[in-house]
Amino acid sequence: MAEVHERLEAEDLQRNLREVQELLRRQGMVENLVHRQEMPKHDLVEQLVHKQHLAELRAKLDRLHPADIAHILEALPPEERLTVWELVKADRDGDILLEVSDAVRESLIATMDSRELVAAAETLEADELADIAGDLPPAVIEEVVRSLSAEEREQLRAALSFPDGSVGALMDFEYITVREDVTLEAATRYLRRFDDLPSHTDQLFVVDRQQALKGTLPLARVIVTDLDREVSKVLVADSIQFHPEDGAEDAAGAFERYDLVSAPVVDASGKLIGRLTVDAVVDYIRQRSAESQLAEGGLSQEEDIFASVVDSFKNRWAWLAVNLVTAFIASRVIGAFEGAIAQLVALAALMPIVAGIGGNSGNQTITMIVRALALGQIQASYWAKLLGKEIGVALLNGVVWGSLLGVIAYAFYGNVALGGVMALAMILNLVLAALTGVGIPWLRVRFGRDPAAGSSVLLTAVTDSGGFFIFLGLATLFLV
């Protein structure tokens, strides 16, 4: 019988994390205390205390689901993480490696020898093994492949042949097929032969002798339909199906629109080769969301929160260098108007407002555009219309908020011309922010790059430098 592990709610998960941290802290404190005291059989006492704490911690870990252990591992510093990792049962290593983030997985794999890695990999299905194959040493992959059956080797080869972001990279090979010429009673008897159905099985796939897909048979129909009827009479012939080359984002959209739990994947000839399940789709959406957030902040890849200083530096330096260059450009723009600022000190107090509001407005635009691109809502012919709409929004915001800021500037400094310059600069910088917010994603998409990568850094550079130039230039023209 399969071992059952607890699945925790968010609050329970945090509570278990705190309990694990407390056990680790107490273990360290007690062992340190015992180590510092002189007593008979000192080593024996220290060893007994150590084993007692580890046994309590191991018992807690044994009750948890692999995904929950992965969360705990990600939340622990490296030393404590390795202590917990060593207490996990060896037959669960593979499942946990699947669940942890890429950065943490690399740190765990680095502590394992080839024998442990092979043992962990051999517990995984072919599609699961493909997910972590890139992190495993080539020698380990070769040994694991030799241990697979011919069918499993073919499945692994197929899974690795499709690029990331495709349906083929997400599909699994565990599914149940039935023939269309059998009765529902025969299909039901066939299902009862399984100890467990593959996860997220909400329908059976109906195929012919050549494994060509004829349709799907929802389990709900099996339950409510007369068992004497043939499968061919009750199957869903026009069910949604995917090809392995289809984009994962398109498939995710279909799962969301049609509330799918699973869907068949067929090759060019219509032969059933796998299935796509909602858990794989959700994992992909979560991964893409995390990647977009990191890219917008200028991080090149996911980072272990407890990574070394050097590793964190390597992940962050590139966009910081870009930011440094753009900041220097902004400073030179200000430097070009030193004379104007010296004659009218109010300019120094007001110019950050113009740049800041422009940056915020541009970030709103770029966030909306990147999200729409991720959802597949923007076609090539829509860019001009989007640009016109965003310029319209920028003009309206500029008139409203520029007028308000102009009035405030007049109230503070008693200078009508300064208020007018403030209002006009706000309008122009918001228009610039709209152009940049649409233009950056458009250019990156046009050149086949991730539209979210470093977008905030680039946008801030343009709106800061542009805002300073517009405001100080207008002030020089009309005030100084």
Side-chain angles (χ1 to χ4, degrees), residues 419-440:
V421 165
M422 187 75 177
L424 182 57
M426 181 66 68
I427 293 172
L428 293 177
N429 198 35
L430 287 179
V431 171
L432 175 64
L435 290 169
T436 308
V438 176
I440 289 175

mmCIF file of all heavy atoms in Angstrom, residues 419-440:
data_model
loop_
_atom_site.group_PDB
_atom_site.id
_atom_site.type_symbol
_atom_site.label_atom_id
_atom_site.label_comp_id
_atom_site.label_asym_id
_atom_site.label_seq_id
_atom_site.Cartn_x
_atom_site.Cartn_y
_atom_site.Cartn_z
ATOM 1 N N GLY A 419 4.727 77.223 -12.290
ATOM 2 C CA GLY A 419 3.611 76.285 -12.274
ATOM 3 C C GLY A 419 3.274 75.781 -13.660
ATOM 4 O O GLY A 419 3.000 74.598 -13.872
ATOM 5 N N GLY A 420 3.319 76.711 -14.654
ATOM 6 C CA GLY A 420 3.039 76.295 -16.021
ATOM 7 C C GLY A 420 4.086 75.348 -16.565
ATOM 8 O O GLY A 420 3.766 74.364 -17.255
ATOM 9 N N VAL A 421 5.361 75.610 -16.280
ATOM 10 C CA VAL A 421 6.441 74.715 -16.713
ATOM 11 C C VAL A 421 6.279 73.337 -16.070
ATOM 12 O O VAL A 421 6.481 72.298 -16.725
ATOM 13 C CB VAL A 421 7.813 75.328 -16.352
ATOM 14 C CG1 VAL A 421 8.918 74.277 -16.459
ATOM 15 C CG2 VAL A 421 8.121 76.499 -17.266
ATOM 16 N N MET A 422 5.898 73.328 -14.799
ATOM 17 C CA MET A 422 5.692 72.052 -14.085
ATOM 18 C C MET A 422 4.593 71.232 -14.763
ATOM 19 O O MET A 422 4.744 70.023 -14.993
ATOM 20 C CB MET A 422 5.326 72.350 -12.627
ATOM 21 C CG MET A 422 5.241 71.128 -11.750
ATOM 22 S SD MET A 422 6.885 70.507 -11.359
ATOM 23 C CE MET A 422 6.461 69.150 -10.260
ATOM 24 N N ALA A 423 3.486 71.892 -15.101
ATOM 25 C CA ALA A 423 2.365 71.190 -15.733
ATOM 26 C C ALA A 423 2.753 70.663 -17.112
ATOM 27 O O ALA A 423 2.467 69.505 -17.458
ATOM 28 C CB ALA A 423 1.165 72.130 -15.839
ATOM 29 N N LEU A 424 3.415 71.493 -17.913
ATOM 30 C CA LEU A 424 3.793 71.064 -19.258
ATOM 31 C C LEU A 424 4.823 69.940 -19.219
ATOM 32 O O LEU A 424 4.746 68.980 -20.007
ATOM 33 C CB LEU A 424 4.350 72.262 -20.028
ATOM 34 C CG LEU A 424 4.760 71.994 -21.484
ATOM 35 C CD1 LEU A 424 3.594 71.440 -22.284
ATOM 36 C CD2 LEU A 424 5.309 73.271 -22.129
ATOM 37 N N ALA A 425 5.793 70.036 -18.296
ATOM 38 C CA ALA A 425 6.799 68.985 -18.172
ATOM 39 C C ALA A 425 6.159 67.659 -17.765
ATOM 40 O O ALA A 425 6.555 66.583 -18.248
ATOM 41 C CB ALA A 425 7.857 69.393 -17.150
ATOM 42 N N MET A 426 5.160 67.725 -16.902
ATOM 43 C CA MET A 426 4.476 66.501 -16.481
ATOM 44 C C MET A 426 3.772 65.844 -17.664
ATOM 45 O O MET A 426 3.859 64.627 -17.869
ATOM 46 C CB MET A 426 3.462 66.832 -15.377
ATOM 47 C CG MET A 426 2.708 65.628 -14.853
ATOM 48 S SD MET A 426 3.792 64.471 -13.991
ATOM 49 C CE MET A 426 4.210 65.453 -12.563
ATOM 50 N N ILE A 427 3.095 66.645 -18.473
ATOM 51 C CA ILE A 427 2.393 66.098 -19.640
ATOM 52 C C ILE A 427 3.383 65.433 -20.598
ATOM 53 O O ILE A 427 3.186 64.288 -21.040
ATOM 54 C CB ILE A 427 1.615 67.217 -20.364
ATOM 55 C CG1 ILE A 427 0.477 67.731 -19.475
ATOM 56 C CG2 ILE A 427 1.052 66.705 -21.684
ATOM 57 C CD1 ILE A 427 -0.222 68.955 -20.030
ATOM 58 N N LEU A 428 4.461 66.116 -20.896
ATOM 59 C CA LEU A 428 5.432 65.589 -21.861
ATOM 60 C C LEU A 428 6.135 64.338 -21.332
ATOM 61 O O LEU A 428 6.368 63.380 -22.089
ATOM 62 C CB LEU A 428 6.460 66.670 -22.203
ATOM 63 C CG LEU A 428 5.933 67.887 -22.968
ATOM 64 C CD1 LEU A 428 7.039 68.910 -23.190
ATOM 65 C CD2 LEU A 428 5.317 67.461 -24.305
ATOM 66 N N ASN A 429 6.455 64.319 -20.053
ATOM 67 C CA ASN A 429 7.152 63.132 -19.512
ATOM 68 C C ASN A 429 6.220 61.930 -19.430
ATOM 69 O O ASN A 429 6.652 60.789 -19.604
ATOM 70 C CB ASN A 429 7.741 63.440 -18.141
ATOM 71 C CG ASN A 429 8.811 62.419 -17.754
ATOM 72 O OD1 ASN A 429 9.547 61.924 -18.607
ATOM 73 N ND2 ASN A 429 8.897 62.090 -16.481
ATOM 74 N N LEU A 430 4.932 62.147 -19.162
ATOM 75 C CA LEU A 430 3.985 61.030 -19.162
ATOM 76 C C LEU A 430 3.805 60.467 -20.572
ATOM 77 O O LEU A 430 3.650 59.252 -20.755
ATOM 78 C CB LEU A 430 2.644 61.472 -18.578
ATOM 79 C CG LEU A 430 2.618 61.692 -17.059
ATOM 80 C CD1 LEU A 430 1.236 62.157 -16.611
ATOM 81 C CD2 LEU A 430 2.999 60.420 -16.320
ATOM 82 N N VAL A 431 3.830 61.346 -21.564
ATOM 83 C CA VAL A 431 3.780 60.862 -22.957
ATOM 84 C C VAL A 431 5.036 60.054 -23.268
ATOM 85 O O VAL A 431 4.974 58.985 -23.903
ATOM 86 C CB VAL A 431 3.616 62.038 -23.929
ATOM 87 C CG1 VAL A 431 3.785 61.566 -25.378
ATOM 88 C CG2 VAL A 431 2.256 62.703 -23.754
ATOM 89 N N LEU A 432 6.188 60.540 -22.827
ATOM 90 C CA LEU A 432 7.440 59.791 -23.017
ATOM 91 C C LEU A 432 7.375 58.434 -22.317
ATOM 92 O O LEU A 432 7.828 57.418 -22.871
ATOM 93 C CB LEU A 432 8.613 60.608 -22.475
ATOM 94 C CG LEU A 432 9.984 59.913 -22.501
ATOM 95 C CD1 LEU A 432 10.409 59.626 -23.942
ATOM 96 C CD2 LEU A 432 11.040 60.774 -21.796
ATOM 97 N N ALA A 433 6.799 58.410 -21.114
ATOM 98 C CA ALA A 433 6.660 57.146 -20.383
ATOM 99 C C ALA A 433 5.763 56.164 -21.131
ATOM 100 O O ALA A 433 6.037 54.958 -21.175
ATOM 101 C CB ALA A 433 6.107 57.406 -18.983
ATOM 102 N N ALA A 434 4.695 56.692 -21.735
ATOM 103 C CA ALA A 434 3.810 55.819 -22.516
ATOM 104 C C ALA A 434 4.532 55.257 -23.739
ATOM 105 O O ALA A 434 4.426 54.057 -24.049
ATOM 106 C CB ALA A 434 2.564 56.594 -22.948
ATOM 107 N N LEU A 435 5.272 56.098 -24.435
ATOM 108 C CA LEU A 435 6.038 55.628 -25.594
ATOM 109 C C LEU A 435 7.044 54.555 -25.186
ATOM 110 O O LEU A 435 7.212 53.537 -25.866
ATOM 111 C CB LEU A 435 6.770 56.802 -26.239
ATOM 112 C CG LEU A 435 5.901 57.838 -26.980
ATOM 113 C CD1 LEU A 435 6.734 59.073 -27.322
ATOM 114 C CD2 LEU A 435 5.302 57.230 -28.230
ATOM 115 N N THR A 436 7.707 54.782 -24.057
ATOM 116 C CA THR A 436 8.714 53.824 -23.589
ATOM 117 C C THR A 436 8.053 52.538 -23.097
ATOM 118 O O THR A 436 8.552 51.434 -23.354
ATOM 119 C CB THR A 436 9.546 54.449 -22.457
ATOM 120 O OG1 THR A 436 10.056 55.710 -22.886
ATOM 121 C CG2 THR A 436 10.692 53.542 -22.066
ATOM 122 N N GLY A 437 6.942 52.672 -22.370
ATOM 123 C CA GLY A 437 6.258 51.501 -21.818
ATOM 124 C C GLY A 437 5.748 50.560 -22.888
ATOM 125 O O GLY A 437 5.693 49.342 -22.686
ATOM 126 N N VAL A 438 5.378 51.105 -24.044
ATOM 127 C CA VAL A 438 4.963 50.262 -25.171
ATOM 128 C C VAL A 438 6.168 49.865 -26.011
ATOM 129 O O VAL A 438 6.264 48.732 -26.495
ATOM 130 C CB VAL A 438 3.917 50.996 -26.037
ATOM 131 C CG1 VAL A 438 3.555 50.154 -27.256
ATOM 132 C CG2 VAL A 438 2.668 51.287 -25.220
ATOM 133 N N GLY A 439 7.110 50.776 -26.169
ATOM 134 C CA GLY A 439 8.230 50.543 -27.079
ATOM 135 C C GLY A 439 9.200 49.482 -26.611
ATOM 136 O O GLY A 439 9.691 48.679 -27.425
ATOM 137 N N ILE A 440 9.503 49.439 -25.302
ATOM 138 C CA ILE A 440 10.473 48.447 -24.809
ATOM 139 C C ILE A 440 9.978 47.019 -25.053
ATOM 140 O O ILE A 440 10.708 46.205 -25.630
ATOM 141 C CB ILE A 440 10.798 48.696 -23.328
ATOM 142 C CG1 ILE A 440 11.637 49.977 -23.182
ATOM 143 C CG2 ILE A 440 11.551 47.521 -22.718
ATOM 144 C CD1 ILE A 440 11.904 50.383 -21.742
#
